[in-house]
Structures are given as C-alpha cells and as structure tokens.
C-alpha cells in the first residue's frame, strides 16, 4: 500500500484528524483532512471530535491544539519543527517587558510558545490581528509581540502606537525588494501578494497584504492572472491547485541561490514522519498544566472575538 493510503487508513482506524498549514510540503497538504492558516487551524482544533490531532506544522501550532484540547492526544511529526519568530521571544525577557508596563494590555501573535501566551490578554493571528486590536478602545495602551513587522503594519493601518517586541521570522524578513521590483518589471500586470510578517519596504510593494488564507482568497477571486507571492512558498501549492489557469511566481529572498523562500522548520514534516507518529502515537505535544490553564484564556478570547466578527 502506498504511504499516503497507509496514513489515511491509520488515521481512520484511530479516529485521528490530520491538520496541515499551507507552508508544509504539498504532499502533506494533499493527505490532510484540513489545510489552513493559523487562525483556521486553531478553529478546527477547537471543534474537532477526533481522539487524536496530528498537527502538520510547527511546534507552537501543536501547543495551541493541546491547550485547546487537553484531553486529546496531539501528535507532531517532528518536534524539531520550531519557529524562529516564536524563538525570538524568550519568556523571561518578555515577562520583564510586560512587568515594566503594568498598565498595558498584552496582545501576542499565535507564533509564540505557551509560556508567552500565559502572559497574554489576547492572542491574534495574521488573519484577525487588525480586528482584535481594534476591539480595544483607541486609547488602550497595548504591548504587541513578538513580530515587529506585523506590529508596525497594524500600527500603520489602525493609527495605534502599540509598544512592539523586536522579534521577526527569518523567512519573511528575507524577501528582496529589488528582486520583487525586477519581477514586477518583467510581469507588469502581476499583483504582488505580501504577508504582514514581511519588512515594511516589501509591504509597500503589495497590492494585497494578508494572512496566507487571505492571500489565497484574493488570488482566486482576483481578475488578474499572474501573482508574485511574498510569503513562504508552500502556499503556492494550494494557489495553483485552486486556480490552475493562473501563474504564481514565488518572490525570491535576498540571499537567493534559490528562487523561492522556504521555512526549513515547516519542511521538516514528511510523509514518513506523519505515518510514524500516527503509528507510534508519538511524539506527543505536552504543555505544563498550570501554563495551559492560563494560556487557554487568551486563545479562547481570540476565538470568541473572531466568531463575533464572523472571521
Ligand atoms: P498565517 O497562517 O496566519 O498566515 O501565518 C503564517 C505563519 O507564519 C505561520 O507560521
Ligand atoms: Fe515561524 Fe516563519 Fe516558519 Fe512561520 S515561516 S513557522 S513564522 S519561522
């Protein structure tokens, strides 16, 4: 039996649901029960009836599932699939930052460890950051972490002046303005799609700024036929699948020996690892009970606000 069929059979036998982020390899996206952005994955985890969740993505995504579903087994195909953005925000330093600003609300991006979420008032993803920030009265002092690019972008579109943690994603920081400008010259009709984790200079080139799901939706609905895509190149798999007649060009990084920009952590997830983790029900994601008890509150708050706003 081929490995994709074996995974599906095992998942059915064990009542497991396979969730995948748009950045994992296309072959993994193809066997997943659900593929989505960070917000949609958290929403799926919160409502699944499965006994086991296999989170094909990075570690913080597995933690979010476990925090939302403490009674379920949450499996992650490769525990080394971490996230440079989550790692750019160590809990001790962030706690000191929060303590130094006791009058501030704390809004944290979902790309954080459970320890950071436990210090947070409300979690956001790139799919709802603007709306969640605007949920607070305009004069509310806010700490936003860890992504300074996303924070700067949200400040610029909401007119806020949130205090930003200086973290970043090593993939999204790397896109080259010059190379995107050169591609735009070559394909003048192309629309430029940019994830808000990119640097401000890249965001300025965008026709559309949004989460992976928002960029996907735009590319399907737009009348344009060519798109330059400045986010992790795994998203091109679903874009090409949903709009096969259109052309998607990955925006290149600065240091390009390669024409696309991949997250080395997301690419650690392979079909073999998905099969083995399902077979052995290991590695499992565990979160300290006390940390989880606190971290679940800002995640649930995000889900409640998103539901209220129809996101
Ligand atoms: P979204 O899934 O919210 O688009 O975020 C992208 C990301 O960097 C996930 O690691
Ligand atoms: Fe983290 Fe960046 Fe990879 Fe997303 S693309 S998982 S933010 S390192």
């Amino acid at each position: 039996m081929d490995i994709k069929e074996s995974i599906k059979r095992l998942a059915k036998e064990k009542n497991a649901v396979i969730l995948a982020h748009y950045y994992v390899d296309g072959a993994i996206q193809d066997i997943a029960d659900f593929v989505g952005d960070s917000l949609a994955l958290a929403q799926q985890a919160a409502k699944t009836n499965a006994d086991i969740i296999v989170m094909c993505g990075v570690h913080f995504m597995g933690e979010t599932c476990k925090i939302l579903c403490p009674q379920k087994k949450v499996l992650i195909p490769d525990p080394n699939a971490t996230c440079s953005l989550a790692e750019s925000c160590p809990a001790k330093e962030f706690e000191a930052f929060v303590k130094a600003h006791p009058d501030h609300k704390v809004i944290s991006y979902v790309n954080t460890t459970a320890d950071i979420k436990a210090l947070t008032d409300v979690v956001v993803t790139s799919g709802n950051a603007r709306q969640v920030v605007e949920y607070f009265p305009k004069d509310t002092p806010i700490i936003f972490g860890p992504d300074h690019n996303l924070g700067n972008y949200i400040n610029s579109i909401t007119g806020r002046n949130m205090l930003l943690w200086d973290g970043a994603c090593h993939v999204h920081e790397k896109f080259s303005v010059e190379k995107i400008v050169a591609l735009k010259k070559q394909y003048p009709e192309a629309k430029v799609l940019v994830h808000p984790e990119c640097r401000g200079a890249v965001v300025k080139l965008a026709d559309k700024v949004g989460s992976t799901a928002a960029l996907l939706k735009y590319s399907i609905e737009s009348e344009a036929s060519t798109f330059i895509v400045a986010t992790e190149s795994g998203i091109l798999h679903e874009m090409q699948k949903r709009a096969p007649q259109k052309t998607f060009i990955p925006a290149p990084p600065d240091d390009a020996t390669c024409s696309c920009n991949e997250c080395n952590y997301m690419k650690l997830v392979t079909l073999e690892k998905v099969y083995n983790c399902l077979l052995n029900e290991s590695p499992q994601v565990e979160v300290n009970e006390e940390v989880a008890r606190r971290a679940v509150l800002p995640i649930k708050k995000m889900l409640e606000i998103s539901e209220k706003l129809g996101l």
Side-chain angles (χ1 to χ4, degrees), residues 23 58 60-61 82-86 109 111 169-172 197 232 263-266:
Y23 293 165
V58 291
F60 76 80
M61 295 176 173
T82 57
C83 166
S84 57
L85 178 51
Y109 197 29
N111 298 41
C169 154
H170 74 300
V171 178
H172 288 89
E197 285 174 27
E232 208 275 353
C263 173
N264 49 315
Y265 301 115
M266 287 282 187

Side-chain angles (χ1 to χ4, degrees), residues 17-22 32-50 52-55 61 64-65 68-69 72 299 302-303 311:
V17 67
I18 302 176
L19 306 181
H21 191 272
Y22 290 123
D33 296 298
F34 182 84
V35 186
D37 69 352
S38 307
L39 175 60
L41 292 173
Q43 287 168 329
Q44 283 293 319
K47 69 179 187 202
T48 184
N49 291 321
I52 297 177
I53 299 173
V54 183
M55 182 63 244
M61 295 176 173
T64 304
C65 294
L68 283 167
C69 312
K72 295 189 194 294
I299 302 174
M302 167 186 82
L303 294 175
L311 300 169

